Amino acid sequence: MGNGDEAVPGDEAPAAQPGTYDQVFFLGLAAKGKDEWNKWRRDPANEDVRATFAGVDFSETPGNQIDFSGFEFGDGADFSGCKWRGGGWENGKAPEGFRPGRACFVGATFGADIKFDGTNFGEWAIFEETDFFIQASFKSSIFGDYASFKGATFGNWARFESAAFGDYVRFEDAAFAKSARFDGAVFGNWAGFNGATFGDVASFDNATFGYSASFKEVTFGHSPWFDSAAFADGANFEDTFFKGEVKFTGNSISDFQIITSEVSPKDRMALEERHKLSWKTMRSGPGRFRTISFARARFDGEANFSSRSFERPADFTSARFYYPPDFDAVNSPGKIDFTGARIRFVPAGKWLHWTTDTKIPVRLRAFRKIAEETKNHDLERDLYIEERKAERGVFLQRWEELKKAPWIEWPLITWRLLVHVLWIIVMFFYLILADYGRSFVWPFVWWLVLSLIIFPWWYGQILPSPDKAGQLDAAKYEQAVQMVARANAVPFVGPLAIDAEIKKILFCPGFGECRPIPPKSYQWLATFQNVVSIILFFFIGLALRNYFKIK
């Protein structure tokens, strides 16, 4: 039966009394193809009937002729303990679609409480574009090479705990609505989850991946967990989005164990041997990272990489952390590349950087040590700035301390609060003038705007205007004002360029004898301009020094 719609001679479904359906009936009906099956399933009288194929051997005739593509199974379909032979290569080519002995469920739809526990699928098991409503369970199942769940949709609770996959398993563009559990699963080489979407929980704790596991452009929900997961070389999390707290904590091989009460001791031992064989072959382990990439990944919650050993280069270039990550007790942090990485402590898009979480400055300080060790001076500077910004809200919590403290301590606490408020104001101007010393362009632009626009206008407001200065030439007056503003824009030596003739034009009323003595308002404004110019030149020099700084 090549297309799943033709009946195999001798496999007609046996007659069944209303309400009496057994495995023989379901096998016979499935052999007649999807049209007959779906016709029976859509009958309201059969709505609550649960199809069971538990323990069926689909590797032999006539079961190996059944193609389940497009079947509508409803609730409670049970394929636990089934067996498929799988379909291999034909004339050096990968055959597509159904072949005798292959588990093929392309486009099938399942209701709630679906079981494939302990099933042996062989090679080329195909569940592409398959729809699982609620509670699809593949616990302890064994997949050969080339299993595919591309584009499959899983409702709440997809369960693949302790499953074993061969090479080239595919979950690309699959969607998991709420909870996906792959705890203790073993993957061969080239496992692919590219473009998949996970709901609230995605757990790969204690999972083992072969070479080149790929989670590129995957979206994870609030709780993605990879505790003690082992990755061989080439693991790829590039452009991946972690919405919540993600865990990649490490563990020692001696402490590793499969924790599940639903696996027999014999099967648990066999699964652990699969893990250990993969670790030995790939030189990986539950506490190690081989070559791995998180380039351009986004972490909205806390990312925990503690106790991991970075055996080979790890790429975090241009990664974005919106909560300080935890790299506590990692080994070989010098192999981590954080070039272009950004560390923040507020959600993306939030304008006000403010927190009262006392853990954040501590975490930033600890991560700054990692930046120092990797000689990433730009990141080290950015982390220091973030640390100072985080301390603003933490220190202002002393207001609560003031309300609870005895009155004798009020003066000291109040003084500290006032100093801290002043520091917040200073840091605000440091931000808008020089981006915390990270930009030499900003202070230069500010210097140009102040020198060419703001201060010339200001001098024109406080000095005598041409209509009050008798025969004073308006054009020369305007030129003189511009010269004064530009001269005072250059600290120390600039004011020397203002000669006596210019002072007469600006400070004399145009009649009688005149001593060109500037008014006090001019003196204060010139002093202020010099101070501002000195600060801006200092910021320019500081930014250049930070840019070329070498330790």
Side-chain angles (χ1 to χ4, degrees):
M1 189 181 73
N3 59 11
D5 297 331
E6 301 171 1
V8 177
D11 285 345
E12 288 81 2
Q17 298 296 325
T20 59
Y21 298 103
D22 56 16
Q23 195 171 87
V24 174
F25 169 80
F26 292 121
L27 284 170
L29 182 59
K32 299 179 71 173
K34 72 174 182 180
D35 289 339
E36 289 297 320
W37 176 278
N38 292 343
K39 179 181 177 182
W40 170 84
R41 169 53 70 191
R42 294 169 185 172
D43 187 339
N46 302 321
E47 182 179 359
D48 296 328
V49 178
R50 298 194 167 210
T52 176
F53 297 90
V56 172
D57 186 350
F58 290 100
S59 64
E60 302 294 339
T61 305
N64 65 348
Q65 300 295 316
I66 300 177
D67 178 6
F68 289 102
S69 297
F71 275 44
E72 299 173 8
F73 287 97
D75 296 341
D78 189 354
F79 286 86
S80 299
C82 291
K83 179 182 178 181
W84 276 270
R85 183 178 70 249
W89 296 80
E90 296 178 357
N91 299 322
K93 297 182 179 180
E96 298 181 358
F98 175 75
R99 291 294 185 276
R102 176 181 294 182
C104 192
F105 291 82
V106 177
T109 58
F110 292 87
D113 194 21
I114 310 305
K115 294 181 180 179
F116 284 88
D117 298 336
T119 298
N120 192 330
F121 288 96
E123 295 182 341
W124 297 98
I126 307 177
F127 288 84
E128 296 179 358
E129 305 296 336
T130 304
D131 185 10
F132 301 91
F133 181 47
I134 297 177
Q135 187 74 17
S137 181
F138 291 80
K139 292 181 293 185
S140 302
S141 292
I142 299 175
F143 294 84
D145 296 341
Y146 306 103
S148 179
F149 287 82
K150 292 176 66 174
T153 302
F154 295 86
N156 299 343
W157 303 293
R159 309 194 64 175
F160 288 85
E161 294 107 310
S162 304
F165 297 90
D167 295 340
Y168 297 102
V169 60
R170 289 289 177 261
F171 282 89
E172 280 103 338
D173 300 315
F176 299 85
K178 186 175 179 64
S179 174
R181 309 289 306 223
F182 289 84
D183 306 77
V186 181
F187 295 84
N189 299 321
W190 301 287
F193 287 82
N194 297 343
T197 303
F198 289 87
D200 292 343
V201 176
S203 180
F204 291 83
D205 290 349
N206 300 310
T208 292
F209 295 87
Y211 175 77
S212 196
S214 184
F215 289 81
K216 188 175 182 180
E217 298 180 351
V218 171
T219 299
F220 288 99
H222 297 295
S223 300
W225 301 324
F226 290 85
D227 287 337
S228 301
F231 294 90
D233 283 302
N236 188 341
F237 287 85
E238 294 177 359
D239 299 295
T240 297
F241 181 17
F242 300 92
K243 292 183 179 180
E245 179 182 359
V246 56
K247 296 181 179 180
F248 282 92
T249 58
N251 200 356
S252 65
I253 292 178
S254 59
D255 293 332
F256 179 86
Q257 59 178 341
I258 303 298
I259 303 175
T260 175
S261 59
E262 301 175 4
V263 178
S264 68
K266 180 180 178 181
D267 291 340
R268 182 186 296 111
M269 185 176 298
L271 184 64
E272 289 181 352
E273 288 302 317
R274 282 179 178 265
H275 283 274
K276 293 176 181 178
L277 179 61
S278 178
W279 302 341
K280 182 178 180 180
T281 304
M282 300 294 174
R283 297 182 179 180
S284 62
R288 301 176 182 174
F289 274 149
R290 306 287 292 175
T291 54
I292 190 169
S293 177
F294 290 89
R296 301 175 303 279
R298 171 175 166 176
F299 301 84
D300 276 10
E302 179 181 355
N304 191 336
F305 294 88
S306 61
S307 302
R308 281 284 180 176
S309 176
F310 290 85
E311 307 279 324
R312 302 187 67 182
D315 185 358
F316 282 82
T317 56
S318 301
R320 293 167 290 169
F321 297 87
Y322 291 98
Y323 191 94
D326 184 355
F327 282 80
D328 186 40
V330 299
N331 291 327
S332 302
K335 295 181 180 180
I336 309 174
D337 185 0
F338 287 107
T339 303
R342 291 182 291 170
I343 317 295
R344 301 290 184 266
F345 59 87
V346 294
K350 188 174 181 180
W351 181 80
L352 181 61
H353 287 205
W354 193 269
T355 183
T356 58
D357 185 352
T358 57
K359 294 190 302 181
I360 287 180
V362 175
R363 187 68 60 78
L364 288 167
R365 202 171 298 124
F367 192 64
R368 189 151 57 92
K369 295 181 180 179
I370 302 290
E372 292 175 2
E373 188 166 344
T374 59
K375 302 300 181 182
N376 192 326
H377 305 304
D378 289 340
L379 179 61
E380 179 186 351
R381 181 196 62 229
D382 292 346
L383 287 169
Y384 175 74
I385 292 170
E386 291 299 311
E387 179 185 338
R388 301 299 290 176
K389 288 158 65 177
E391 288 174 347
R392 295 176 301 186
V394 173
F395 286 166
L396 280 183
Q397 288 189 109
R398 290 178 177 174
W399 174 254
E400 298 297 326
E401 179 184 344
L402 177 64
K403 293 189 291 185
K404 298 177 182 178
W407 65 270
I408 197 171
E409 297 181 7
W410 287 2
L412 178 60
I413 297 175
T414 302
W415 171 251
R416 290 176 177 174
L417 282 172
L418 291 175
V419 170
H420 190 64
V421 169
L422 178 61
W423 180 246
I424 291 175
I425 296 173
V426 171
M427 291 295 289
F428 171 75
F429 283 103
Y430 191 25
L431 165 65
I432 63 174
L433 291 177
D435 191 25
Y436 297 112
R438 291 178 289 195
S439 173
F440 62 86
V441 175
W442 285 23
F444 180 71
V445 171
W446 274 110
W447 178 78
L448 286 178
V449 171
L450 290 170
S451 303
L452 301 179
I453 300 175
I454 304 300
F455 279 108
W457 172 84
W458 206 339
Y459 282 116
Q461 300 300 308
I462 65 172
L463 294 174
S465 58
D467 60 335
K468 295 181 180 179
Q471 303 300 319
L472 185 62
D473 183 78
K476 290 184 177 180
Y477 171 83
E478 187 67 29
Q479 184 178 4
V481 170
Q482 292 288 342
M483 291 182 63
V484 166
R486 293 170 188 171
N488 287 326
V490 181
F492 307 117
V493 298
L496 300 178
I498 306 175
D499 58 21
E501 292 301 320
I502 295 176
K503 293 179 180 178
K504 285 183 179 180
I505 294 175
L506 294 174
F507 307 138
C508 292
F511 56 88
E513 297 208 4
C514 172
R515 292 183 179 181
I517 300 176
K520 289 184 178 181
S521 58
Y522 168 85
Q523 297 177 37
W524 281 111
L525 183 57
T527 301
F528 177 66
Q529 184 181 7
N530 271 268
V531 170
V532 171
S533 296
I534 290 172
I535 293 173
L536 293 176
F537 274 95
F538 172 76
F539 285 161
I540 293 172
L542 180 63
L544 292 172
R545 180 255 186 189
N546 289 338
Y547 184 79
F548 293 106
K549 181 179 179 182
I550 299 178
K551 288 187 177 181

